[in-house]
Amino acid sequence: MDKTYFTQKWMNAREEYDMCSRSSILDYYLRENDNLEKIIDIGSGTGSFLRWLIVKKYKFEKILMIDQDEKLLNKVYKITRGLSIDENLLLKKASSNLFHLDSPNQNILSEIRIMKGDISKLFKYIYNYNFISFSAIADILPKLFLDKVFSVHLENKTILFSICYDGKVSWNIKNKYDKYIMKKFNEHQQSVKNDNYTLGPASISYIKKKAKQKLYKVKTMDSPWKLNSDNVSNRDFHQQYINTIYKALQKDKNTDALILKEWIHDKLEKIKKGKLKTIVNHKDILLLT
């Protein structure tokens, strides 16, 4: 699969919003399961899903985190260690790619392993894990990759697609070009990029359709980002998000450049003045095979 890199600044900033927006969908799974046992986190980045598990106090035996960006994987230990201390846990480094999370009071020792590689070529590993996580990447995964997920035999496994962009964005202060810009952005997300066709927001309905064809149980819950402009940190991330839309359409020949320029100027001005609120809708999808 072609490489898709995200900046460290973007990954660090969005984790706070991911942490707040992730739904309680795993509670549905844990009604009948004591813990998550063996997890494989595909497209793990710096480990935001792992840290969310730690904060939520979800138990697991081991987790394999796979990503094709080594720079992001190299941040896993440092960032997670700081959080672990805050949660009264101890993260020990056994090697450069193997860590142990120790909870002395509860006698729990979890294994954390990181692996660099093209995620489309690492399907052989999923058979060793009972819980498969795709965190915040469903809309940018090639359709062929999703087809492969549903073509292999995955019996008695749980698959979680979390923070899946659903194409709906709303603002407290509307701009006359909002519908036009978001239509163009969603079309851009659902298109051929780097020789691969990605489904963008249509990935949600596609995943649900493929899951039902396989007779998997399907559970969905909302996991929206709620962006404000009430302080420096929130304004900074808000601007970053608006700029992701702008940068995606800046070189799109089908988007009117003057409209795009007027739209982003209006949004950034309202963020700067502390007035704009944005809701970016996502879905969490839990599949029981």
Side-chain angles (χ1 to χ4, degrees):
M1 190 170 77
D2 292 312
K3 293 182 179 180
T4 301
Y5 290 106
F6 296 96
T7 67
Q8 186 67 54
K9 181 180 179 182
W10 170 257
M11 297 293 288
N12 289 343
R14 70 166 289 167
E15 182 166 344
E16 176 184 344
Y17 298 89
D18 286 350
M19 188 76 74
C20 293
S21 70
R22 291 180 189 272
S23 73
S24 59
I25 201 165
L26 284 190
D27 292 342
Y28 172 80
Y29 167 80
L30 289 169
R31 289 175 189 171
E32 300 178 2
N33 301 273
D34 292 333
N35 60 54
L36 301 174
E37 297 182 3
K38 300 175 182 178
I39 306 169
I40 183 167
D41 187 19
I42 300 175
S44 64
T46 64
S48 63
F49 179 64
L50 165 66
R51 288 185 288 277
W52 180 75
L53 293 176
I54 292 172
V55 168
K56 295 292 289 185
K57 296 180 171 38
Y58 288 126
K59 300 175 184 177
F60 62 93
E61 295 174 13
K62 61 174 62 178
I63 183 169
L64 173 63
M65 301 163 58
I66 294 177
D67 202 280
Q68 53 204 24
D69 191 334
E70 189 171 14
K71 291 181 180 179
L72 297 181
L73 288 174
N74 288 340
K75 299 290 184 180
V76 170
Y77 178 77
K78 181 178 180 181
I79 300 174
T80 307
R81 184 174 182 273
L83 177 77
S84 300
I85 292 171
D86 293 339
E87 296 294 323
N88 296 315
L89 301 172
L90 181 61
L91 186 65
K92 304 174 183 177
K93 181 182 283 191
S95 67
S96 61
N97 65 348
L98 177 62
F99 323 126
H100 291 105
L101 185 66
D102 190 7
S103 178
N105 296 332
Q106 300 180 41
N107 295 318
I108 297 173
L109 186 67
S110 301
E111 178 186 289
I112 301 168
R113 189 180 297 273
I114 61 174
M115 178 184 295
K116 177 184 179 296
D118 186 334
I119 62 176
S120 66
K121 299 177 181 177
L122 298 174
F123 264 79
K124 60 184 179 181
Y125 292 100
I126 66 175
Y127 300 105
N128 298 323
Y129 295 82
N130 66 299
F131 195 99
I132 305 164
S133 167
F134 295 92
S135 187
I137 60 171
D139 57 313
I140 62 172
L141 286 174
K143 178 178 175 293
L144 290 175
F145 182 89
L146 288 173
D147 287 340
K148 188 172 182 179
V149 171
F150 291 100
S151 68
V152 296
H153 183 64
L154 299 174
E155 186 176 359
N156 297 321
K157 296 187 184 296
T158 302
I159 307 173
L160 175 63
F161 291 91
S162 56
I163 317 180
C164 306
Y165 171 59
D166 76 355
K168 298 174 183 176
V169 180
S170 60
W171 288 276
N172 64 322
I173 305 173
K174 298 184 184 299
N175 179 283
K176 62 182 178 180
Y177 296 125
D178 284 343
K179 289 184 179 180
Y180 171 80
I181 292 297
M182 293 315 301
K183 179 177 182 294
K184 291 298 182 183
F185 179 69
N186 289 336
E187 288 173 354
H188 176 271
Q189 295 301 93
Q190 186 177 355
S191 63
V192 177
K193 293 186 285 290
N194 299 323
D195 297 324
N196 282 307
Y197 179 65
T198 57
L199 290 165
S203 63
I204 295 173
S205 59
Y206 191 74
I207 288 169
K208 291 167 68 176
K209 181 185 76 172
K210 298 292 283 188
K212 288 177 181 178
Q213 288 174 351
K214 298 280 287 189
L215 302 180
Y216 295 164
K217 293 181 181 179
V218 181
K219 174 77 173 177
T220 62
M221 292 184 73
D222 293 332
S223 53
W225 278 351
K226 296 179 180 179
L227 310 183
N228 285 293
S229 308
D230 53 356
N231 60 47
V232 174
S233 176
N234 286 340
R235 285 194 292 274
D236 181 62
F237 183 72
H238 209 159
Q239 290 170 348
Q240 286 187 63
Y241 172 70
I242 295 297
N243 275 314
T244 62
I245 298 174
Y246 174 73
K247 290 177 181 178
L249 297 180
Q250 193 176 20
K251 297 180 181 180
D252 181 22
K253 296 179 181 179
N254 296 317
T255 301
D256 187 300
L258 292 178
I259 289 178
L260 178 62
K261 188 175 181 179
E262 182 178 334
W263 179 84
I264 191 172
H265 176 76
D266 176 63
K267 294 298 183 191
L268 294 180
E269 278 296 306
K270 286 181 170 60
I271 293 172
K272 185 178 179 181
K273 293 177 181 178
K275 295 181 178 180
L276 194 66
K277 296 180 181 180
T278 303
I279 296 178
V280 186
N281 287 291
H282 303 101
K283 298 285 186 186
D284 290 346
I285 311 170
L286 188 72
L287 309 178
L288 304 179
T289 72

